[in-house]
Amino acid sequence: MLAVPDSIDIIIPTFRLDEQYLLPLIHLPKPGGWQFNYYVIADNPGVKPGAELQRLAKEGVIHLFINSENKGPGETRNRGIEAGNGSWILFLDDDIVADSDLLLQYVKATKEKATAIGFIGLTDFPVPVNAFTRALDAAGLTSIFTIAKKKEQFMWGVTANIMFKRSALQDLRFSPLLSAIGGGEDIDLGARVSMLHGTQFMCVKEARVTHPWWNHAQPHFDRFTRYGAGMALLLPRFKKFTWYAFPNPIEGWVLALLCAPLFFIFLSWQKWLIFLAAIPLIDMGINYVRAAGMGYRELKVAYYMTLLRCSTEWGMFKTMIGQGKPSYFMKRINVDFTRPRHFRTNRWRITKLVIYLILLSLLIFIK
C-alpha cells in the first residue's frame, strides 16, 4: 500500500480509553493541507468506550479498535501501523498532555528536514512531588524521555512521543517478545531503523508533551523490573554494543553466594552475613551522595534509588537466566549504540570497589 503524501497516522495504544486524556489529543489544532488519521487501539478486551469516543468512531474522526486479547503495547502499536497508510507515523501515549502546537511542530519539522527517518519529540515530567519521584529523577530513569532537550539527534526515542517516516520503517515492527515483556521495544525498533539507514532520528524539542508520574507518583517497582527484563533481551540482539561492568548489587549478592566457600576461608559466617548486608547499604550510600549533588538530600531518596536499581537489575538477572544466557552476567549495553570498551568504569564504581576492599580487610583482620 502506497503511503499518502502529507499525512500523519497518529497511533495511541491504550488500556483505559480515558477520555480525559484522549479527547484533547484528538482535538489538537491541525495545520492546513495535511491529513491526520487517528488509530486508538485498546489493549483490553473488557474495556467499554465512552459515549464521545463511540461518536467520534462512528463519524469516522477516529479509527477505534479493541484487541480481542491483551497483546502488549508493541503488538498493539503494530496493529495501528498496519491499519494506516500515512507517510508519517506518530506514536503517543494515552496519558500524556500535549502542547497545543504539537502537530504544527511536527509538520514544520517534516518540511525543514524532509529526508529524516523520523523525529523524537520532548516528553517532560512534572516537577518531582515526593521522595520517590525525586529518586526517579536522580536515578536518571526519566532522562531518555527528555533526550530532545540534550541532543540534536539520537538512535531512538520513547514511544510516548516519537514520529517515524513510514518509508524508513519499511517492514520493521515492534518485537512481539519485547512487547510481551513490556520493556525495550522502543529501543529495539528505533535502533534497527537507524542502523538500517545509517542515520539517526532528529530531535524536535518544540514538539512537547507532558507525561504524568507513573502510578500517581506513588512508589512502585514492577515497571522497572520489566525495563530490566527488556534490557536483558536486548543484550544478545546488539552484541557488539555490550561490555562488562563492575557487579551491581544483585550480581554482588549472587557472587557472594556462589563464592561462599571461598569467603569462609577468611571469614566466619557472621562476618559473611555482614558483608552481604553491606552490599545494598554501600550502594545506598553512593546513591545518597549522587542525589545530594542534585540537591536531593533526603535519605529516603537514596533508599528509593537503591530499590529502583535493584528492581531493574533483578529483571535483567532473572530474564538472562530464564533465557539460558548466563554468559551475559555482568554485561551492559550502550543504549546510545556507540562502540564500548570491553570494560568500563567511573568514579562511582571505583569508589564502591575501594569501599568493598576496605570492608573486606576490616572483616578479615579485625577479630
Side-chain angles (χ1 to χ4, degrees):
M1 184 185 298
L2 294 176
V4 176
D6 296 340
S7 59
I8 298 177
D9 292 335
I10 301 172
I11 298 174
I12 309 174
T14 179
F15 191 83
R16 298 158 286 233
L17 280 178
D18 190 339
E19 292 186 345
Q20 172 188 354
Y21 292 104
L22 293 174
L23 294 180
L25 295 176
I26 294 167
H27 296 306
L28 280 170
K30 299 170 179 63
W34 279 68
Q35 178 180 330
F36 296 87
N37 302 296
Y38 281 85
Y39 297 88
V40 179
I41 309 162
D43 192 29
N44 178 3
V47 74
K48 301 297 180 185
E52 184 62 11
L53 284 176
Q54 291 186 54
R55 182 187 70 81
L56 292 171
K58 185 176 181 180
E59 293 178 1
V61 177
I62 65 171
H63 304 275
L64 179 61
F65 302 98
I66 298 177
N67 289 342
S68 58
E69 60 181 4
N70 185 266
K71 295 179 178 295
E75 282 284 74
T76 300
R77 291 186 180 97
N78 286 343
R79 185 175 182 182
I81 295 171
E82 298 297 335
N85 64 346
S87 52
W88 297 90
I89 304 169
L90 174 59
F91 295 107
L92 298 175
D93 272 0
D94 70 334
D95 55 356
I96 58 168
V97 176
D99 284 7
S100 61
D101 64 345
L102 180 75
L103 300 181
L104 283 75
Q105 292 294 345
Y106 272 124
V107 166
K108 179 183 176 184
T110 66
K111 291 178 178 178
E112 293 176 350
K113 300 167 184 175
T115 60
I117 59 172
F119 300 97
I120 300 170
L122 172 61
T123 303
D124 261 335
F125 279 82
V127 174
V129 295
N130 55 20
F132 183 73
T133 51
R134 287 189 280 275
L136 289 172
D137 182 40
L141 291 170
T142 61
S143 61
I144 187 59
F145 288 79
T146 58
I147 195 68
K149 279 184 181 177
K150 308 157 193 168
K151 301 277 188 179
E152 292 188 0
Q153 56 184 14
F154 203 65
M155 293 284 284
W156 61 278
V158 295
T159 44
N161 181 22
I162 187 172
M163 190 162 78
F164 287 72
K165 181 184 284 183
R166 185 176 287 272
S167 61
L169 188 62
Q170 298 184 15
D171 294 329
L172 297 177
R173 296 294 183 267
F174 291 100
S175 161
L177 177 59
L178 290 167
S179 179
I181 289 288
E185 70 269 18
D186 45 4
I187 303 175
D188 174 68
L189 183 60
R192 285 190 290 139
V193 172
S194 291
M195 291 175 188
L196 175 64
H197 298 283
T199 188
Q200 300 186 6
F201 290 79
M202 305 304 298
C203 293
V204 186
K205 63 183 179 182
E206 295 80 10
R208 177 181 176 272
V209 306
T210 301
H211 196 295
W213 290 113
W214 299 292
N215 196 41
H216 306 290
Q218 297 307 302
H220 65 290
F221 304 96
D222 58 319
R223 172 182 299 277
F224 308 99
T225 302
R226 295 198 307 271
Y227 286 175
M231 293 300 289
L233 295 177
L234 291 175
L235 288 169
R237 288 171 176 249
F238 301 101
K239 291 181 181 179
K240 67 180 181 180
F241 301 105
T242 61
W243 48 280
Y244 285 100
F246 189 81
N248 59 44
I250 296 297
E251 292 164 344
W253 269 331
V254 171
L255 288 173
L257 290 169
L258 291 176
C259 298
L262 182 61
F263 272 88
F264 292 153
I265 296 174
F266 304 98
L267 301 176
S268 65
W269 67 268
Q270 295 96 332
K271 290 184 176 181
W272 179 72
L273 289 178
I274 291 172
F275 183 77
L276 282 181
I279 290 175
L281 292 176
I282 291 170
D283 215 70
M284 191 164 74
I286 295 292
N287 286 333
Y288 180 81
V289 175
R290 289 177 57 198
M294 299 177 65
Y296 302 144
R297 300 182 182 278
E298 302 164 78
L299 186 60
K300 202 170 184 180
V301 171
Y303 167 73
Y304 282 134
M305 286 175 70
T306 306
L307 288 183
L308 286 164
R309 184 179 182 195
C310 288
S311 298
T312 303
E313 292 158 359
W314 171 243
M316 287 184 66
F317 176 75
K318 72 173 184 177
T319 303
M320 175 192 67
I321 296 301
Q323 293 286 313
K325 299 185 184 299
S327 61
Y328 287 92
F329 185 73
M330 287 176 57
K331 270 202 167 185
R332 310 289 184 265
I333 184 170
N334 271 9
V335 293
D336 61 357
F337 294 95
T338 54
R339 291 295 294 269
R341 298 187 297 273
H342 291 299
F343 185 88
R344 289 175 58 184
T345 189
N346 58 30
R347 58 178 173 160
W348 304 116
R349 296 187 184 108
I350 293 171
T351 300
K352 280 197 286 188
L353 177 60
V354 170
I355 294 172
Y356 277 132
L357 292 175
I358 292 173
L359 175 63
L360 277 173
S361 298
L362 291 173
L363 290 174
I364 290 172
F365 293 112
I366 294 179
K367 301 301 182 181

